[in-house]
Amino acid sequence: MIQPNFKNELNQQQYEVVTAGDGPHLVLAGAGSGKTRTLVYRVAWLISQGVKPEKILLLTFTNKAANEMMVRAKAILGVAPKEKFSLWGGTFHSVANRLLRIYGKHIGLESDFTIMDTADTDTLLKLISKEFLKGLSEKRKPSPAIFRETISFANNSKISIEASLETKFPEWVPFLDIFEKITKEYQRRKQVAKLLDFDDLLLYWKKLTQDARAGETLAKKWDYILVDEYQDTNIIQAEIIFNLAKLHQNILVVGDDAQSIYSFRAANIKNILDFPKNFKNCKTHKLETNYRSTPEILDLANQVIAVNQNQFSKELSAINDSHVRPELVALRSNKEEAWFIADKIQQLLGREVRPSSIAVLFRASHYAQTLEMELNRRGIDYEMRGGLRFFERAHVKDVLSWLKVLGNHRDEVSWMRILQLYEGVGPVTAKLIYQQLASLDDISELMELKLNLAAKAGQSWSRISSLIDKLVKQRDKDVSQLIHLVIEQYSSYLMEKFPDYHQRQDDLDQLAIFAIDYDILEDFLSEISLQEGYSASQAKKENRESVILSTVHQAKGLEWAAVFVINMTDSAFPHPFAEEIEEERRLFYVAITRACRYLYLTYPLAVYRFDGYKSMSPSPFIGEVDGNLLNHNQLSKTTSYASSDGVSYVSDLDCQDNDDGDGFLPSVDNW
């Protein structure tokens, strides 16, 4: 083992954290400040001081992160990669699993328990809910996934099922009694069958730390505890940490309250804000040197987050050279916004910026639909992070299937998809129905079909044929109206099956808005086929770099040379249903700090809705910052054309900078 020169390999702030003495330590690590590097060197320093690796506990939010940290710590110390390193490292859940196998008997938990994954949990809840929902008169019934998320959020937030429902799924509050009964039965069956879900791992670990004998054993097991991403912990995890460290107090947590954005997963920002209160004599450290972004980007980020009241004050400073200011660009419509972004992406690509070094970020995935269409048309490769491309999403495909059978009633693939959405219709029954449908000369003859079906299948067929009849009668209407007819019936299916049905509904609303431009069904379906064909061809391309499209939540922890944050309107960012404005501002801060050199904030002045264009205003977060921190751009040379809906659009965008400097897009270094 070698003795590293820690002082030469770290900046002063990092060095002070790495070599900090015993006791509680809170490390406020700003974006791009080398948080992981600091943690790794802390592990290496402790071992270099004679601490045995097995006396160190390192908790991270992914096992991959823990493993990578341990590999890097070995390299720093000159330890061979294959040499045994007995440090306890991993996620809260993985460490809990190991401990419960060893010590679970102290709290009545046998070591041969089985851990259920999400699919297993849903299966068990489905079995239970069938019993409790039997005979329910309401047509709508919550899915197993909705029960699972309600129970999980209640567990991780230490709140009641009622409070969880009010927070997550208020529309299901009338079903509270059923939710409570199913929760109770779910807990009973798990116990009988020796099953633990992911939440149980934490709850039992907490219980273990509270046991007189086991708690004392665990408190003495590790001399030093390190926790990464502490701002993302929930209240149960914080209580576990407190119980483990209360004896020796050698606890060091690293996080950034300015990047606490996961309250919907039960993450509690109070854990990091209250850490100095919970651990007396806590020493607070700040990592404020940013190695990622330019001074101009950090100036904007610092001012954005400074508005929040519930936070630790910090000021990020850059080591990178000065560059161009972030751009604020107002476009006349969301279509122009898509054209603008596509234009700028092409310019960046033409100036040797790698596709994978460009990211487009948005508050919610449906905001990217118009841009996806434009990127497809231009043949710009892109990757949708954390989700599927718009036309690959199951709910979008479901709705489109109705239009496809309206255009071609012998479309077997679409019919099989539609039919099996309904209760009582399996693959065999669906095939029999399709065979009769295919024999018709025209879809208008469908209502005359006499099908010999079982009761549930017959009821489902009645709903299907009724909707088809409505679509046939309005076949000459514009495509958007046809989509709305489908959505009216399909929405209840979404609500029953998916916890994220609100987001899925937003996608379908966006599909209907997109269809407004099409009066003829055949033209719309042809455009969709081209989009689907492009997605399919993209899927076959291997080892090809792509521009990244991502929600801001999915982008946390990542960085790109150029970042676009789109649809920065007052109705989109902050999210209209957001309960906590400060968390939304933290989310905006996260978006800004993903950018290394180029940052573009865009928003449409108007967005097309079903009743025409709706005027938009910029996000209030824009109005909170000094305008001098941004280059404000306006349209100059434009070429207009009249579309099929009679609205004039701009096809050739050229933005002009109000600054006398390098212009809108200066030359790009080689990224």
Side-chain angles (χ1 to χ4, degrees):
M1 186 180 297
I2 63 174
Q3 184 68 28
N5 190 330
F6 292 96
K7 195 168 184 64
N8 287 350
E9 296 179 25
L10 302 161
N11 68 36
Q12 185 59 35
Q13 292 176 335
Q14 294 170 339
Y15 180 74
E16 290 176 2
V17 172
V18 167
T19 59
D22 290 352
H25 296 274
L26 170 62
V27 183
L28 300 171
S33 63
K35 159 182 74 67
T36 301
R37 180 180 180 84
T38 305
L39 264 179
V40 169
Y41 272 85
R42 174 67 173 177
V43 171
W45 185 82
L46 288 172
I47 295 172
S48 75
Q49 300 303 298
V51 179
K52 295 180 179 179
E54 62 268 24
K55 300 298 287 183
I56 301 172
L57 172 63
L58 172 62
L59 291 169
T60 62
F61 273 78
T62 66
N63 286 318
K64 181 182 178 183
N67 292 332
E68 288 178 351
M69 287 186 192
M70 286 187 279
V71 169
R72 289 172 62 178
K74 282 184 178 181
I76 293 168
L77 295 168
V79 178
K82 293 185 178 180
E83 188 172 331
K84 187 177 180 181
F85 210 56
S86 52
L87 182 147
W88 279 70
T91 65
F92 278 87
H93 296 89
S94 66
V95 172
N97 177 44
R98 291 173 64 187
L99 292 174
L100 293 172
R101 302 285 183 188
I102 303 170
Y103 304 105
K105 59 186 178 182
H106 293 288
I107 54 174
L109 182 66
E110 297 180 44
S111 62
D112 60 341
F113 60 81
T114 299
I115 300 173
M116 298 190 297
D117 60 19
T118 301
D120 297 329
T121 299
D122 284 353
T123 298
L124 180 56
L125 284 168
K126 184 177 182 179
L127 293 171
I128 296 170
S129 61
K130 274 187 175 180
E131 300 171 9
F132 284 88
L133 296 175
K134 190 181 297 182
L136 196 68
S137 58
E138 285 86 349
K139 292 182 179 179
R140 297 188 297 106
K141 300 175 183 178
S143 68
I146 291 174
F147 286 117
R148 167 173 45 80
E149 288 208 8
T150 302
I151 295 169
S152 181
F153 192 78
N155 285 333
N156 289 303
S157 303
K158 290 183 69 176
I159 59 176
S160 66
I161 293 296
E162 181 177 11
S164 181
L165 271 180
E166 289 173 347
T167 302
K168 299 286 288 184
F169 309 109
E171 60 278 1
W172 291 113
V173 169
F175 289 74
L176 174 61
D177 182 60
I178 290 176
F179 271 80
E180 290 177 335
K181 289 178 179 178
I182 288 174
T183 300
K184 186 176 180 180
E185 179 63 12
Y186 174 62
Q187 303 297 355
R188 189 191 71 81
R189 290 206 192 178
K190 285 191 298 177
Q191 191 171 11
V192 169
K194 295 193 290 188
L195 299 172
L196 270 64
D197 60 28
F198 292 137
D199 299 332
D200 291 327
L201 291 171
L202 298 183
L203 293 170
Y204 277 108
W205 188 7
K206 177 189 170 184
K207 189 176 180 180
L208 203 61
T209 66
Q210 295 171 322
D211 179 78
R213 185 177 175 184
E216 183 179 0
T217 300
L218 291 182
K220 295 178 179 178
K221 188 173 184 63
W222 302 286
D223 293 337
Y224 294 90
I225 300 171
L226 311 175
V227 187
D228 192 16
E229 303 287 5
Y230 195 68
Q231 80 281 346
D232 294 334
T233 55
N234 60 43
I235 191 169
I236 305 298
Q237 292 165 326
E239 289 178 347
I240 290 170
I241 293 302
F242 181 83
N243 292 339
L244 290 175
K246 64 183 177 182
L247 180 64
H248 54 67
Q249 296 279 298
N250 293 330
I251 171 73
L252 184 147
V253 302
V254 181
D256 184 5
D257 57 293
Q259 299 187 71
S260 179
I261 58 174
Y262 295 121
S263 63
F264 65 94
R265 297 179 185 170
N268 194 331
I269 193 174
K270 288 185 177 181
N271 291 347
I272 191 168
L273 294 178
D274 293 344
F275 189 86
K277 300 177 186 176
N278 297 328
F279 287 91
K280 305 302 180 183
N281 303 315
C282 170
K283 186 175 181 180
T284 300
H285 310 260
K286 295 181 181 180
L287 303 182
E288 297 176 300
T289 302
N290 177 283
Y291 293 88
R292 175 185 300 159
S293 306
T294 64
E296 290 78 9
I297 292 172
L298 293 185
D299 286 343
L300 177 64
N302 285 330
Q303 197 168 105
V304 165
I305 202 63
V307 180
N308 276 3
Q309 298 300 307
N310 299 312
Q311 64 169 323
F312 294 106
S313 62
K314 59 184 116 17
E315 188 87 5
L316 293 181
S317 59
I319 65 165
N320 292 322
D321 294 335
S322 183
H323 202 243
V324 295
R325 286 180 294 180
E327 307 282 346
L328 177 64
V329 189
L331 291 311
R332 287 187 290 184
S333 70
N334 54 326
K335 290 186 178 182
E336 283 194 7
E337 184 182 39
W339 293 331
F340 167 79
I341 294 168
D343 279 349
K344 295 308 164 187
I345 288 174
Q346 288 181 321
Q347 289 183 26
L348 288 165
L349 295 174
R351 299 179 186 182
E352 300 184 357
V353 179
R354 295 167 55 189
S356 59
S357 294
I358 303 172
V360 182
L361 307 182
F362 30 83
R363 179 60 183 84
S365 58
H366 67 275
Y367 295 139
Q369 186 267 334
T370 304
L371 176 61
E372 282 194 68
M373 300 288 290
E374 188 61 26
L375 295 178
N376 281 347
R377 290 191 184 104
R378 301 196 190 197
I380 298 174
D381 297 342
Y382 69 92
E383 174 189 345
M384 180 65 74
R385 285 281 173 86
L388 298 171
R389 295 165 180 268
F390 186 81
F391 290 105
E392 293 173 350
R393 297 168 194 170
H395 47 289
V396 174
K397 283 181 168 291
D398 289 345
V399 171
L400 289 175
S401 292
W402 288 92
L403 302 189
K404 289 180 178 181
V405 299
L406 186 62
N408 173 17
H409 75 282
R410 293 189 173 91
D411 184 338
E412 182 177 4
V413 173
S414 295
W415 270 121
M416 294 297 286
R417 187 178 192 97
I418 291 169
L419 293 167
Q420 293 180 81
L421 291 173
Y422 288 81
E423 193 175 9
V425 183
V428 175
T429 302
K431 188 70 175 178
L432 291 172
I433 294 174
Y434 170 73
Q435 288 173 349
Q436 297 198 52
L437 289 169
S439 66
L440 302 175
D441 292 326
D442 188 85
I443 195 171
S444 59
E445 301 172 6
L446 177 142
M447 295 297 292
E448 301 173 10
L449 277 179
K450 305 295 181 184
L451 302 176
N452 185 22
L453 302 171
K456 286 186 178 179
Q459 293 172 5
S460 293
W461 174 246
S462 178
R463 294 182 65 193
I464 295 169
S465 58
S466 176
L467 179 53
I468 289 292
D469 187 50
K470 290 180 182 177
L471 291 170
V472 169
K473 290 177 178 176
Q474 300 192 47
R475 185 159 34 184
D476 295 332
K477 301 285 186 180
D478 66 68
V479 179
S480 182
Q481 291 183 42
L482 298 177
I483 291 174
H484 274 294
L485 284 174
V486 178
I487 292 175
E488 285 176 7
Q489 187 174 120
Y490 184 74
S491 291
S492 60
Y493 171 83
L494 282 183
M495 191 173 182
E496 290 173 14
K497 298 296 181 183
F498 303 106
D500 62 343
Y501 61 85
H502 286 300
Q503 293 93 315
R504 295 172 186 258
Q505 183 68 54
D506 287 338
D507 284 346
L508 299 181
D509 290 341
Q510 194 62 45
L511 177 65
I513 291 170
F514 165 71
I516 288 174
D517 289 343
Y518 297 87
D519 295 324
I520 301 172
L521 179 61
E522 289 72 17
D523 293 344
F524 174 78
L525 293 176
S526 295
E527 175 67 23
I528 297 302
S529 296
L530 291 173
Q531 294 289 330
E532 292 175 331
Y534 181 82
S535 293
S537 68
Q538 291 298 101
K540 296 178 181 178
K541 295 177 180 178
E542 298 180 356
N543 301 318
R544 186 154 177 181
E545 287 195 356
S546 302
V547 173
I548 305 301
L549 272 58
S550 173
T551 63
V552 183
H553 284 101
Q554 288 287 336
K556 185 175 174 291
L558 304 175
E559 62 181 54
W560 295 273
V563 170
F564 297 82
V565 187
I566 70 172
N567 203 21
M568 286 296 303
T569 66
D570 58 352
S571 63
F573 212 152
H575 194 279
F577 298 126
E579 296 183 0
E580 179 52 64
I581 189 67
E582 290 206 350
E583 180 163 328
E584 289 293 298
R585 192 176 287 108
R586 292 194 296 269
L587 193 61
F588 182 39
Y589 173 84
V590 168
I592 292 170
T593 53
R594 299 313 93 195
C596 298
R597 291 177 68 82
Y598 299 93
L599 175 63
Y600 311 95
L601 310 177
T602 68
Y603 69 96
L605 294 170
V607 175
Y608 201 83
R609 300 298 188 207
F610 308 115
D611 54 351
Y613 276 96
K614 179 183 178 182
S615 296
M616 293 288 166
S617 298
S619 166
F621 300 150
I622 300 294
E624 292 172 349
V625 300
D626 184 349
N628 292 322
L629 297 178
L630 295 160
N631 281 341
H632 300 258
N633 294 291
Q634 58 187 7
L635 297 176
S636 56
K637 294 180 292 183
T638 61
T639 302
S640 300
Y641 71 95
S643 70
S644 59
D645 59 7
V647 179
S648 279
Y649 297 109
V650 175
S651 61
D652 181 18
L653 298 179
D654 183 13
C655 284
Q656 182 172 309
D657 195 315
N658 68 354
D659 185 72
D660 294 327
D662 296 324
F664 178 69
L665 190 64
S667 60
V668 181
D669 296 338
N670 292 330
W671 282 82

